[in-house]
Every structure is written in C-alpha cells, then in structure tokens.
Amino acid sequence: MTGEELDSIIEEKGQDAPALVGILQEIQKREYCLPFKTLGMVSEKLDVPMSRLYGLATFYKSFTLKPVGRHTVDVCMGTTCYVCGGQLLMDRLLRDLHIPEGGTTSDRKFTVQPVRCLGCCSIAPVIRVDSDVFGHVTQNQIPKILERYE
Amino acid sequence: MVTLEIDGQKVEVEEGTTVLQAARKLGIEIPTLCYNEAIQPYGACRLCVVEVIMGNVSRFQSSCSLPVADGMTVKTNSESVLRGRKVLLELYLARCPQSKEVKELCERYGVTETRFKTFDKMEDCVLCGLCVRVCDEVVGAHAIDFVGRGTERRVDVPFERLWDKCLACGACTYVCPTGHIQNEGRRIGQLRRNLGTERKCRYMLMGAVSSKICPNNYECWRCEYDQRTEYQLGNHPALALKTTGKK
C-alpha cells in the first residue's frame, strides 16, 4: 500500500482515536492482512505508537498479520450446526481445497476457518462466504457454492 | 473539602482524591497490585474492592478509581468484601501459583488453595498493566503494550521483536508488583549490547557511564527521560534496582 492510498483512507475515516479501528479494517480489506510496513506508516502519520497498533491488531479477530485469501469461508461450529453436520462440511471444504483448518489456498482465493454461532441456528448447518450466508448446506452443494466466487 | 466515613472513622479530604488515598491517610490497609501513585488509576486488579454505601444503596467498587463524595460510607473489611477478595485471590493463585507476592497476599487472607484450573505453573504476570502504563505515561517510550486477548493476553513489544523503542530504562521492572518483568532481564541485557537503529539510550540502568554523553547529547542521568521518571516515581528505577541487587 502506498502512502497516497493510506492518506485517502485516513482522510475518509478521520484522524482521531475512534477512527483507528476503521482505518485498520480498511487496510485489512484491501491488503488481506495488516502488513508491517503499512502499520509503520499508520503509526507515523497518526502519531500512534506501534505497540498500540500491534495490541489492536492482535486483539480483534478480524485483523490478521498474515495474508488471508480473497474470500473467507466461515463454517459454523455452534452447537446446532455441529449436531447437524458442521464438521462434515468443514472436512469436505478442507478436502476439496487441500488446506488445513484456518489455512489459505495457494492461489490466495479462500481461507477456511471455524467460527462459533452465527446466530441463524434455524437454518443449520450454516457456512458463510464473505458476507453471504448459506443455510441447510449439504456436502454436495459445496463445490457449487465455491464456484460462485472468483 | 469532602467528609466521608471509612470503617467508622470520619475523615476530611480534598475533592478529587480517591477512596484508596483517603483510606491510606487514615492508615487503613487495602491490598493493591495495579496501583501506583505516579500513574493514573486503572482498576485492573480489583483487589482494592470496598463496599460503598450511599443512602440506602450498597455497592462494590474498586477504591483506587473511585473519587470521594460527601456522605459516603465505606467499609473496607466487611464480610462480603473479604469474601470477594478471597475469590479474587483464588483466581490470582490459579494464574500465578509461583508468585511470591500473590502467595503472601493469599496467606494474609487465609487462602490456601484454589478451586480454579491452573494453566501455567511458571506464569507470574498478573496483567495489572503497570509496566504498560509506566512506559506510556511516565517514560513516554510506548515500547510495550498488551498483546492478544483472553487467555492469550500478555505484555510484549510489537511483533515480538521491535525493541527499538525500548530505552532499557527499567521503569517497568521497578513498578512490576510480581517481578515478572525482571525475568525479562536477559532480553533487556541483550538489548543493551545490541545497538538499535532508533535508540535513544541503552545505558540508563548501568550507572557507570555517568560522565558519558549520550547520542542525544544529554549528559547521562540528566536526560529528559531520566528526569521525568525520577520526578514522577519519586525514586530512580536504576537506583532502586541496585540496592535490591546488593541484598
């Protein structure tokens, strides 16, 4: 990320402390992680100590320090989804994409991770790709769902 | 001036003082781990919990962060306060079973064993945040902060390796209630040998270089970091460490 890009983000989000998380979120969205260099630039531009930025980046689950894929696949492992076969969906995903749990495919397309309850137990088992929620998923539907994403 | 009652004794203190300070003025002992006069109250350790009665309502609040108010009645040793404190001590004992200070406190309050699960036998950090706050507020180096969250929470430097901001001033070691930071001595020692790129001073704990001029053109022991630390803590961390080292 270049300095100008960062400047435009800061201009949009504001310079004060509450905007900090928003700025980091925007960086995460564009770079798929919080790179060391970019954090250094944020620290310089906003005059926030690096230790604080690192604390924030490790506190929130949505921030990662290592790059994730373009699409995040969240497999619900809440009680209901687990009972209805969430683990089977997870196994299928990992088998199809040839990655370990929490891993990223080599073409940086998908990252698969387990999550706790997504709050829609009535359509269990649930998987979520980016912000789209799929309910009543069976193993056979998984290749079709993955095909939708570039 | 505000008048309040602590454990049946009337005391008159200035507005803005905390209940803890008022109690200490009366000579009433309230245990604390995360409190230091030089640093803003934080209310992390909760050991200073007291029962505050205002009118008909009784509440439990941490006395270090509670400003005094007129007509307040405070009980520092009531049965329910002691019960709460004992639970807290059990939690501390589960986290840091080896820590000397935690053990002493437990002995004083008659806590011998914990009902909670002990995770790491060698852990002695109670996450009071004193080191983080002294680094931010007093020294102003912002070298360390809390990293991670939940059971993974710990004090560290950014990316586990960015030591450049650390001055090796030793203020964190000085304020640490359990001596956890002292165990980091090896890393700080390495730091002093290792000349960082952004370093300001790596010699503050050595004392032997008092006649040297540092890279920032300050005479040693007289630089702004040194002076501010000594002024706010009332004692220089390096001097305090030296005397404990001789024992």
Side-chain angles (χ1 to χ4, degrees):
Chain A
M1 183 173 278
T2 58
E4 286 123 42
E5 269 181 278
L6 187 59
D7 278 337
S8 70
I9 294 177
I10 292 171
E11 207 168 296
E12 187 192 325
K13 302 278 176 187
Q15 295 231 342
D16 15 330
L20 201 54
V21 173
I23 293 169
L24 293 187
Q25 271 176 330
E26 191 62 35
I27 297 171
Q28 169 84 38
K29 209 165 118 192
R30 292 192 195 183
E31 305 264 300
Y32 305 107
C33 72
L34 296 178
F36 177 64
K37 266 189 187 166
T38 317
L39 281 185
M41 285 202 291
V42 174
S43 158
E44 258 175 44
K45 282 185 202 287
L46 295 181
D47 200 18
V48 179
M50 193 67 164
S51 57
R52 194 164 152 60
L53 287 181
Y54 187 67
L56 273 178
T58 49
F59 184 85
Y60 291 108
K61 202 92 192 262
S62 58
F63 296 138
T64 51
L65 296 169
K66 283 180 188 151
V68 292
R70 293 193 295 281
H71 307 287
T72 328
V73 185
D74 298 328
V75 185
C76 184
M77 287 288 168
T79 314
T80 318
C81 290
Y82 186 82
V83 170
C84 293
Q87 187 63 53
L88 296 173
L89 296 182
M90 176 65 106
D91 290 346
R92 175 66 186 255
L93 273 167
L94 300 182
R95 204 160 56 228
D96 282 7
L97 297 171
H98 308 290
I99 48 172
E101 199 172 287
T104 306
T105 50
S106 51
D107 57 355
R108 294 237 174 280
K109 199 168 169 189
F110 292 109
T111 297
V112 181
Q113 56 189 23
V115 291
R116 300 301 152 216
C117 189
L118 288 173
C120 42
C121 305
S122 56
I123 52 169
V126 174
I127 70 171
R128 181 176 65 184
V129 186
D130 294 339
S131 53
D132 310 327
V133 177
F134 299 91
H136 299 303
V137 185
T138 58
Q139 277 193 56
N140 298 336
Q141 291 169 357
I142 280 182
K144 267 193 180 171
I145 291 175
L146 293 185
E147 262 174 33
R148 291 195 193 184
Y149 293 89
E150 273 306 303
Chain B
M1 297 298 256
V2 179
T3 319
L4 74 157
E5 194 183 313
I6 303 177
D7 284 353
Q9 299 178 55
K10 282 251 155 74
V11 64
E12 203 172 286
V13 288
E14 271 178 50
E15 217 166 301
T17 39
T18 60
V19 173
L20 181 70
Q21 283 163 341
R24 293 225 165 137
K25 198 179 160 194
L26 281 175
I28 297 168
E29 202 186 333
I30 298 176
T32 54
L33 281 175
C34 77
Y35 179 76
N36 189 307
E37 284 153 13
I39 308 165
Q40 291 285 316
Y42 192 55
C45 74
R46 314 310 292 179
L47 276 178
C48 65
V49 72
V50 290
E51 193 176 354
V52 180
I53 302 161
M54 288 280 275
N56 292 330
V57 191
S58 143
R59 283 183 304 178
F60 294 95
Q61 285 188 299
S62 55
S63 57
C64 69
S65 55
L66 180 68
V68 290
D70 245 329
M72 216 178 222
T73 312
V74 178
K75 287 181 184 169
T76 65
N77 269 317
S78 71
E79 202 178 306
S80 36
V81 168
L82 287 181
R83 201 164 50 216
R85 219 170 263 165
K86 274 184 184 173
V87 175
L88 277 173
L89 282 171
E90 276 187 56
L91 286 164
Y92 278 120
L93 198 60
R95 185 177 165 85
C96 325
Q98 295 296 313
S99 166
K100 215 176 83 196
E101 286 71 15
V102 170
K103 270 190 200 162
E104 270 174 22
L105 273 173
C106 286
E107 213 169 277
R108 206 192 309 163
Y109 284 89
V111 177
T112 47
E113 56 182 26
T114 172
R115 74 188 92 159
F116 304 106
K117 195 178 161 193
T118 307
F119 284 99
D120 187 356
K121 284 232 154 66
M122 294 311 288
E123 181 66 77
D124 48 12
C125 176
V126 292
L127 296 177
C128 65
L130 266 179
C131 47
V132 174
R133 286 177 288 144
V134 84
C135 197
D136 279 356
E137 291 174 25
V138 179
V139 182
H142 308 289
I144 48 175
D145 208 333
F146 285 117
V147 174
R149 75 164 170 192
T151 51
E152 309 275 306
R153 194 166 154 95
R154 64 187 195 279
V155 173
D156 212 331
V157 290
F159 295 93
E160 276 91 51
R161 63 187 163 86
L162 262 195
W163 282 95
D164 280 350
K165 287 270 154 72
C166 177
L167 308 171
C169 67
C172 47
T173 328
Y174 176 65
V175 292
C176 182
T178 61
H180 170 71
I181 303 275
Q182 223 140 26
N183 299 346
E184 302 280 315
R186 191 177 52 83
R187 283 162 94 181
I188 296 181
Q190 268 177 0
L191 188 68
R192 250 177 252 129
R193 280 195 295 280
N194 235 329
L195 304 181
T197 47
E198 277 183 48
R199 82 198 155 92
K200 294 200 171 62
C201 176
R202 292 277 190 261
Y203 302 100
M204 281 169 89
L205 280 181
M206 291 171 78
V209 284
S210 54
S211 58
K212 278 193 183 167
I213 304 288
C214 80
N216 283 8
N217 281 329
Y218 285 109
E219 201 177 319
C220 210
W221 296 102
R222 282 286 161 265
C223 80
E224 53 175 326
Y225 289 99
D226 246 354
Q227 284 180 8
R228 192 162 60 215
T229 312
E230 186 167 359
Y231 174 70
Q232 291 203 20
L233 291 176
N235 189 0
H236 197 281
L239 294 176
L241 278 183
K242 262 200 239 161
T243 47
T244 50
K246 272 178 194 166
K247 270 176 198 174

